[in-house]
């Protein structure tokens, strides 16, 4: 949707067009995540002349500034104009980043091809027409457009706005796809290819020369180049040469890594060039390159599969697809053709993904009837595909907005201010000395290179680079290194349940059949099930398929089918038994058990309605050999299946028995069926709507499975909770099961209370409302306890038998539970529903909220003021759709949480991308599903990533503080020396900058992460009081010690002050010698102080390279001071220190050791002491709190949540009601 910011509602429709013609600004994608502000510009000759004069006067500096800030080009060279005259557009996103893009033209031979396809005119006025011609000329073949971040926007000459180029993924009815797209002619396809561009996702791998130019134009390297030029003028040739050589190596490494990453990404998302068969109409097919596909093409999927190069919707045949590239989920998915019952719906790749083949996915096999082809209509191409969107998210990531980087930039500006003060001091002192003006300028500019170190940005990334390598060794791959630092600040971590907290595979517990509207004894051995509908439903209601002779499909379906000891046969040549249909056939492995004298017991699956997370069910239409009618079988969420059944077939104690299973973490699936009329034939089945057959079903029973926690889950959750990291479960499973798993894994402690948030949308009787109810313990647990106390105490049974549903040998206990339930059904309503009364006054230490996706949607729409509290206190979010998972992550982020997300990929892609740190559990080395991909198939990777994140963050802080102190130490040294017209020599600078500082900066980050997570979190801001205090006291100590060393030098009887030098080239003086030797120890000492170990990193002695380097540097500096050799003194251009007494040198050594001791004392005993923590806290409390803390305080100071009450949106008050607690969404108010 595009929004016109300059339009007024008061103008009449006849004047609207004229008003729009005058627009110079508009919104693109208004209200969406990619909302953009567009401004139009055209050439201004006068401005252009002035601009070129400015370029000449500034020696091209203006061009460099425009390279950094592209929007300046529009301000300096162009003028605002109406949209329809725009030659360039300036686009600014909602992060403030601007881009300037040229408006270009596409010339079509036949505009009608584009017009009829996209449902509005794309044609435009010719390039050379006057301003008014656009009002009347609408048949020109010229279409104005521009491309922004791989997406094409075109000029709509009817609405006089730019809008995103549409395809079949929006605004297209399903009936249109069936009826109107029968194949495009070659000419029409060529026209659309000009409009849409090639169907390819090409990651540009830039040449080394281009990368070199872009790298050199980076402000960091521009600063380096200017510094090297400055040092050259100052005759620091050796120093300038070494820095140039180091910068060259740095650039080379950077270019190599950049190109390597580009190649890796290109190889990861690219596909080999191949051909595809497209329909030209009338069943005529032609082989063309995949790159030539356009929306509207009808393609034939090869029988043996292929890698999809576009998004296409199936219209004939079935495909088995591996979508691991996009989702990280390697389980094959069955894609079925778009059915005619969906004709009235608007097609959407998200809502109809069960019919859509996505680019980048691998079609493993196809299923088709007779000689027919498997056909699909192309709906999206290139970067508009689902894969293209994910790749664009990598190429153009959202700004992370980490406070550390923002503070770093502010601190650099502060250093620039300090440099300006030093420059002022230098000018005053050197002018008084009568120094030559050109020397004063060189010295003043040299201060900038000292105070603002060019290597600062590179040093800050060292810790991240080491952490990324360690993560890779641990099987965790990261495609977005800056997000590693976010892992160090995470305070909320969200987890998917199935496959993440629990095992991927399920164990079959048993089946609870229904007969005469009553639940029967549970059947634990499914091979003992009698022939009947419940057996056939389990044998047929699945999406399994044979791939290379191996049964593949959803793990739940595999376990269900394999437990029956049946076989599945794919379509063969003998299809006469099924009216020329080629169905999948299932039959018992032991044919003798189910064989009559004439007809074998075989069932053909005629039609499949695939599982949909929004519908919470799947169905199949089958025909049993020998029967004259077909049947529909459905399986899915119990509450959903029960709502589709005839109420007379659902047992009265359905909710109670369902609750008794789900609260213990068991996975429950409901089964139902209905016979179809005999007159329904195969052709009707293929076109019938699922809504017409998935109704008035007969309830068959419950399929119960165990979903065990992974053994690593509970220890990891315990570790996170001990570290004060909030854990949240976000799942598509039932709320009862989710709450049970949350208790079992430790997210909810035994004495904690869980409150169910049941939100109801408005209906005819009532407005929207929220019922707040305790999640109670079911009655059957009490019954079991009574039974064990009364009857099993003598048998010596293990106390763990109190949870019989989790025990494999518990048939007898389960039947006792059922009998107890049935016996007590008439004792009272509370017993009948399977609940006991809750004493509300008996509160646990904490309250947790649990909410379903349906209730979450109601709260979002009707109770937005409650959303912050629910997101803050919510622990279990069940029945959440993929979109709602993403919404939850974003809501948590709006509350200033740093949010992590861990899932197995399938339904979690959006949430994984939205989180600050999303970790996908996948066997792939890397996928575009998440910033992190873990080969570790359990959530231990979460702790690993967080430990590495904390280590990397602390390392970044340490390196930054070290580089800041390095600047201040050298700054103080230079100011002291400038006072006397002295300076350090070339090789003294090299020893400090290259040997000491570079070595420390590179090796400081090599220290590994601490072995455990602690409650304390690393600081997230450089302007934290403790950080500022640390830097300030160290700078003061540096100044005191250097001045003290200089005063000690002046106290020597042999000391003679160096005479003033107008050239300011007095490098061989006692002042420079003493300051150099003493300060060299300071660089080493502060490196030790800022290389802190626990609680975020290992102790410093575990970093052997760094420790060895520190010892060698300290030893060499001591050698220069205490045992100086004349040759080394000559090389460094120091005074003849070896001629002076050892006492003088020992005193200087004492200054160095004293600085090291006092520096360590100040850092560890003062700055980090517990005595100052109250001061830090008092200052911190004066700053605005994070939003989630404000919400927590509001909840803490109020009686919330209002359990046992109802909240209405109109008055926003709660009414006390006598609510019988029910964990199901259909709870009633009594």
């Amino acid at each position: 949707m595009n929004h016109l910011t300059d339009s007024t509602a008061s103008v009449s429709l006849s004047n609207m067009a004229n008003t729009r013609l005058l627009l110079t600004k508009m919104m693109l994608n208004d209200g969406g995540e990619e909302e953009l502000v567009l401004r139009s510009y055209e050439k201004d000759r006068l401005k252009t002349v002035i601009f070129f004069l400015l370029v000449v006067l500034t020696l091209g500096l203006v061009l460099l500034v425009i390279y950094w800030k592209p929007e300046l080009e529009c301000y300096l060279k162009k003028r605002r104009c109406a949209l329809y005259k725009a030659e360039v557009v300036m686009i600014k996103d909602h992060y403030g980043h601007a881009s300037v893009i040229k408006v270009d033209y596409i010339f079509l031979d036949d505009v009608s091809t584009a017009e009829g396809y996209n449902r509005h005119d794309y044609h435009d006025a010719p390039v050379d027409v006057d301003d008014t011609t656009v009002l009347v000329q609408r048949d020109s073949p010229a279409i104005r457009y521009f491309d922004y971040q791989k997406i094409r926007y075109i000029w709509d000459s009817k609405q006089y706005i730019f809008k995103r180029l549409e395809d079949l993924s929006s605004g297209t009815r399903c009936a249109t796809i069936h009826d109107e797209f029968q194949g495009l002619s070659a000419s029409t396809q060529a026209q659309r290819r000009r409009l849409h561009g090639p169907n390819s996702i090409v990651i540009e791998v830039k040449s080394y020369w281009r990368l070199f130019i872009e790298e050199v134009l980076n402000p960091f390297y521009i600063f380096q180049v200017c510094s090297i030029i400055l040092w050259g003028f100052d005759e620091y040739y050796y120093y300038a040469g070494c820095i140039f050589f180091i910068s060259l190596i740095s650039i080379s490494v950077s270019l190599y890594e950049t190109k390597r990453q580009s190649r890796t990404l290109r190889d990861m998302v690219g596909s080999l060039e191949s051909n595809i068969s497209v329909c030209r109409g009338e069943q005529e097919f032609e082989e063309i390159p995949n790159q030539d596909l356009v929306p509207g093409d009808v393609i034939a999927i090869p029988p043996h599969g292929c890698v999809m190069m576009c998004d296409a919707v199936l219209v004939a045949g079935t495909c088995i697809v591996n979508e691991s590239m996009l989702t990280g989920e390697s389980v094959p998915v069955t894609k079925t053709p778009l059915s005619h019952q969906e004709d009235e719906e608007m097609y959407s790749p998200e809502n109809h993904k069960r019919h859509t083949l996505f680019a980048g996915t691998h079609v493993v096999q196809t299923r088709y009837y007779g000689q027919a082809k498997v056909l699909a209509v192309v709906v999206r191409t290139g970067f508009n595909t689902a894969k293209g969107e994910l790749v664009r998210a990598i190429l153009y990531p959202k700004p992370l907005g980490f406070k550390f980087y923002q503070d770093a930039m502010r601190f650099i500006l502060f250093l620039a201010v300090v440099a300006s003060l030093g420059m002022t001091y230098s000018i005053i002192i050197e002018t008084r000395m009568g120094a030559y003006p050109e020397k004063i300028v060189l010295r003043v500019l040299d201060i900038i290179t000292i105070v603002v170190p060019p290597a600062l940005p590179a040093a800050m990334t060292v810790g991240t680079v080491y952490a990324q390598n360690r993560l890779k060794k641990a099987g965790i791959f990261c495609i977005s290194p800056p997000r590693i630092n976010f892992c160090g600040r995470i305070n909320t971590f969200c987890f998917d349940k199935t496959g993440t907290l629990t095992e991927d595979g399920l164990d079959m517990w048993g089946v609870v059949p229904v007969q005469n509207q009553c639940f029967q004894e549970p059947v634990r051995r499914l091979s003992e099930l009698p022939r009947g509908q419940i057996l056939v439903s389990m044998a047929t209601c699945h999406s399994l398929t044979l791939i290379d002779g191996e049964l593949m499909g959803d793990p739940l379906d595999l376990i269900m089918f394999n437990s029956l000891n049946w076989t599945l046969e794919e379509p063969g040549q003998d299809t006469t038994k099924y009216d020329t249909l080629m169905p999948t056939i299932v039959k018992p492995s032991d044919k003798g058990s189910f064989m009559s004298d004439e007809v074998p017991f075989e069932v053909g699956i005629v039609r499949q309605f695939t599982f949909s997370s929004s519908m919470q069910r799947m169905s199949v239409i089958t025909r049993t050999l020998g029967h004259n009618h077909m049947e529909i079988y459905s399986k899915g969420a119990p509450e959903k299946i029960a709502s589709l059944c005839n109420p007379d077939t659902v047992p009265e104690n359905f909710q109670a028995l369902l609750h008794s299973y789900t609260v213990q973490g068991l996975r429950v699936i409901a089964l139902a069926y209905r016979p179809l009329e005999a007159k329904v034939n195969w052709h009707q089945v293929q076109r019938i709507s699922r809504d017409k057959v998935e109704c008035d079903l007969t309830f068959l029973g419950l399929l119960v499975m165990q979903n065990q926690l992974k053994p690593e889950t509970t220890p990891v959750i315990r570790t996170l909770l001990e570290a004060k990291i909030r854990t949240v479960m976000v799942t598509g499973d039932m709320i009862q099961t989710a709450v049970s798993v949350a208790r079992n894994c430790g997210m909810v402690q035994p004495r904690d209370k869980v409150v169910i948030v049941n939100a109801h949308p408005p209906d005819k009787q009532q407005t929207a409302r929220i019922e707040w109810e305790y999640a109670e313990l079911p009655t059957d647990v009490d019954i079991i306890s009574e039974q064990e106390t009364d009857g099993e105490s003598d048998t010596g049974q293990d106390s763990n038998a109190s949870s019989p549903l989790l025990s494999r040998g518990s048939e007898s206990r389960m039947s006792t539970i059922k009998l107890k339930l049935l016996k007590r059904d008439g004792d009272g309503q509370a017993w009948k529903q399977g609940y006991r009364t809750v004493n509300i006054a008996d509160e646990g230490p904490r309250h947790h909220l649990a909410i379903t996706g349906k209730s979450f949607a109601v709260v979002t729409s009707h109770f937005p003021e409650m959303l912050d509290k629910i997101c803050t206190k919510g622990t279990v979010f069940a029945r959440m759709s993929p979109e709602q998972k993403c919404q939850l992550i974003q809501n948590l982020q709006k509350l200033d949480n740093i949010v992590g997300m861990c899932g197995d990929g399938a339904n979690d892609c959006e949430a994984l991308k939205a989180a600050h740190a999303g970790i996908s559990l996948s066997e792939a080395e890397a996928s575009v599903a998440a910033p992190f991909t873990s080969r570790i198939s359990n959530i231990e990777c979460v702790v690993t990533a967080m430990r590495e994140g904390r280590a990397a963050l602390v390392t970044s802080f340490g390196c930054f503080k070290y580089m800041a102190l390095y600047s201040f130490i050298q700054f103080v040294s230079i100011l002291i020396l400038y006072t006397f017209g002295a300076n350090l020599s070339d090789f003294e600078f090299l020893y400090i900058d290259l040997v000491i500082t570079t070595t420390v900066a590179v090796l400081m980050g090599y220290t590994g992460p601490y072995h455990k997570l602690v409650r304390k979190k690393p600081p997230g801001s450089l302007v934290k009081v403790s950080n500022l205090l640390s830097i300030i006291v160290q700078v003061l100590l540096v100044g005191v010690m250097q001045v003290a060393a200089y005063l000690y030098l002046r106290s020597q009887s042999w000391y003679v002050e160096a005479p003033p030098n107008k050239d300011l080239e007095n490098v061989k003086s006692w002042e420079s010698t003493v300051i150099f030797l003493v300060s060299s120890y300071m660089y080493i000492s502060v490196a030790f102080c800022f290389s802190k170990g626990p609680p975020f990193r290992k102790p410093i002695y575990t970093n052997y390279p760094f420790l060895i380097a520190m010892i060698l540097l300290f030893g060499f500096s001591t050698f220069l001071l205490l045992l100086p050799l004349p040759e080394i003194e000559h090389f460094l251009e120091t005074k003849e220190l070896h001629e002076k007494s050892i006492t003088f040198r020992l005193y200087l050594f004492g200054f160095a050791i004293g600085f090291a001791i006092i520096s360590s004392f100040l850092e560890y005993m003062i700055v980090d002491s517990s005595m100052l923590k109250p001061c830090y806290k008092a200052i911190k409390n004066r700053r605005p709190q994070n939003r989630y803390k404000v919400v927590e305080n509001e909840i803490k100071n109020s009686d919330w949540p209002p359990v046992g009450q109802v909240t209405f949106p109109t008055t926003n008050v709660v009414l006390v009601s006598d609510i019988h607690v029910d964990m199901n969404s259909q709870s009633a108010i009594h």
Side-chain angles (χ1 to χ4, degrees), residues 405-463:
Y405 300 113
Q406 299 168 2
D407 292 341
M409 294 302 105
R410 295 192 189 102
F411 197 81
I412 289 176
L413 291 177
F414 168 73
L415 293 178
V417 173
V418 172
S420 65
L421 296 176
M423 291 164 65
T424 304
Y425 174 79
S426 176
I427 290 173
I428 295 172
I429 292 296
E430 291 166 356
T431 302
R432 288 180 179 178
M433 289 182 182
Y436 296 123
E438 62 272 18
K439 292 296 182 180
I440 295 177
V441 171
L442 290 175
R443 287 291 172 268
V444 167
L445 294 177
D446 197 30
I447 289 179
I448 299 178
T449 67
I450 290 171
V451 178
V452 184
L456 179 59
M460 289 168 56
T461 62
V462 169

Side-chain angles (χ1 to χ4, degrees), residues 965 1025-1038:
L965 257 296
V1025 180
S1026 57
N1027 285 334
L1028 295 178
L1029 181 62
S1030 171
I1031 293 174
I1032 290 171
V1033 298
Q1034 294 290 347
V1035 170
L1036 292 176
L1037 180 62
V1038 165

Side-chain angles (χ1 to χ4, degrees), residues 845-896:
R846 289 187 60 200
H847 281 85
H848 301 262
L849 299 185
I851 187 172
T852 63
K854 180 180 177 182
S855 295
F856 186 80
V858 174
V859 170
T860 303
S861 301
H862 301 281
F863 300 87
E865 70 283 353
M866 290 281 183
L867 195 58
D868 286 353
K869 290 183 178 180
I870 290 174
C871 289
T872 300
K873 294 295 290 183
T875 299
V876 175
F877 294 82
R879 290 291 192 229
M880 298 285 280
S881 67
E883 294 77 15
Q884 287 178 320
K885 291 182 180 182
C886 184
Q887 290 172 13
L888 174 63
I889 297 294
Q890 293 170 343
N891 285 326
L892 290 171
Q893 291 171 334
K894 290 177 182 177
L895 290 169
D896 298 328

Side-chain angles (χ1 to χ4, degrees), residues 16 66 153 221 310 329 362 376 486 611 884 934 1021 1215:
M16 183 63 72
I66 287 178
Y153 296 85
Y221 284 113
C310 61
E329 179 62 52
H362 181 210
F486 275 100
F611 176 78
Q884 287 178 320
S934 172
S1021 172
L1215 301 178

Side-chain angles (χ1 to χ4, degrees), residues 257-285:
E257 283 298 316
T258 301
K259 190 152 188 171
R260 185 183 65 83
Q261 291 179 6
S262 295
R263 283 173 175 166
T264 301
L265 183 59
R266 180 194 63 186
D267 296 340
M268 184 173 69
V269 304
S271 301
L272 295 176
E273 293 185 4
S274 58
N275 292 337
I276 191 75
S277 181
V278 298
C279 180
R280 294 302 187 197
E282 301 298 332
Q283 296 301 311
E284 179 185 346
F285 288 84

Side-chain angles (χ1 to χ4, degrees), residues 890-962:
Q890 293 170 343
N891 285 326
L892 290 171
Q893 291 171 334
K894 290 177 182 177
L895 290 169
D896 298 328
N897 290 287
I898 305 296
V899 186
M901 172 72 190
C902 183
D904 59 359
N907 292 318
D908 308 316
C909 286
E910 294 181 51
L912 291 171
K913 298 293 290 186
H916 290 104
I919 306 177
S920 173
L921 305 183
S922 172
E923 294 183 0
E925 178 171 324
S927 75
V928 293
F932 296 88
T933 303
S934 172
R935 282 184 176 173
I936 305 170
S937 61
N938 57 70
I939 63 173
E940 284 183 337
C941 60
V942 169
V943 176
T944 303
M946 292 184 66
R947 290 193 300 110
E948 289 290 357
R950 291 185 172 193
L953 188 57
V954 170
T955 298
S956 296
F957 272 98
C959 284
F960 190 92
K961 289 168 65 176
Y962 174 75

Side-chain angles (χ1 to χ4, degrees), residues 659-871:
H659 187 74
S660 70
Y661 287 112
T662 55
V663 295
Q664 298 183 63
L666 295 174
R667 182 78 176 270
V668 182
I669 304 293
L671 305 171
Y673 100 109
R674 178 166 71 90
L676 302 181
E677 296 180 6
K679 63 181 181 180
V680 177
N681 58 33
W682 176 81
H683 295 287
Q684 292 173 324
V685 164
Q686 300 307 314
R687 298 181 64 89
I688 198 168
S689 166
R690 68 186 301 174
D691 295 334
K692 294 180 180 178
V693 290
E694 291 179 333
C695 60
D696 200 26
L697 303 175
T698 298
F699 193 82
L700 293 176
L702 299 175
L703 176 67
V704 185
M705 294 183 173
Q706 289 177 299
N707 190 198
Q708 301 286 357
L709 283 173
K710 292 182 179 179
E712 301 85 3
T713 295
T714 302
V716 169
I717 296 297
R718 185 187 307 117
T719 299
L720 295 177
L721 293 178
E722 289 175 352
K724 297 292 285 185
I725 295 167
R726 179 184 167 204
T727 56
V728 177
M729 184 190 302
V730 192
T731 178
D733 209 341
M734 291 183 62
I735 191 169
Q736 299 97 325
T737 304
V739 169
S740 174
V741 171
R743 286 194 180 276
N744 293 340
C745 71
M747 282 188 184
V748 178
Q749 297 299 312
R751 295 184 64 246
D752 290 353
K753 298 284 187 180
V754 177
V755 177
I756 306 298
V757 183
N758 276 327
H760 302 274
D763 51 36
K764 295 180 179 179
Q765 286 77 29
Q766 285 185 299
T767 61
R769 63 196 184 280
I770 301 178
E771 299 171 0
W772 310 85
E773 310 168 352
Y774 275 122
E776 303 171 340
L777 293 174
T779 311
D780 51 3
V781 175
D782 294 336
I783 298 173
I784 296 164
S785 301
E786 292 174 13
Q787 177 188 6
E788 290 174 350
T789 304
D790 298 339
E792 294 184 2
S793 56
D794 322 331
T795 63
Q797 299 236 4
D798 195 335
S799 60
N800 289 334
S802 60
S803 296
L805 302 183
L806 297 177
S807 174
R808 292 188 177 274
S810 58
E811 294 91 340
S812 60
R813 292 198 190 105
M814 185 61 223
S815 61
T816 305
I817 295 167
K818 189 187 83 69
L819 290 173
K820 289 272 188 177
L821 281 169
L822 293 175
K823 180 179 178 182
R824 299 201 180 195
D825 271 351
D827 292 349
Q829 189 172 13
W831 285 108
K832 182 179 180 180
Q833 293 186 358
Y835 299 103
R836 59 181 173 82
T837 305
V838 171
N839 182 3
I840 295 181
D842 182 21
E843 295 185 354
R846 289 187 60 200
H847 281 85
H848 301 262
L849 299 185
I851 187 172
T852 63
K854 180 180 177 182
S855 295
F856 186 80
V858 174
V859 170
T860 303
S861 301
H862 301 281
F863 300 87
E865 70 283 353
M866 290 281 183
L867 195 58
D868 286 353
K869 290 183 178 180
I870 290 174
C871 289

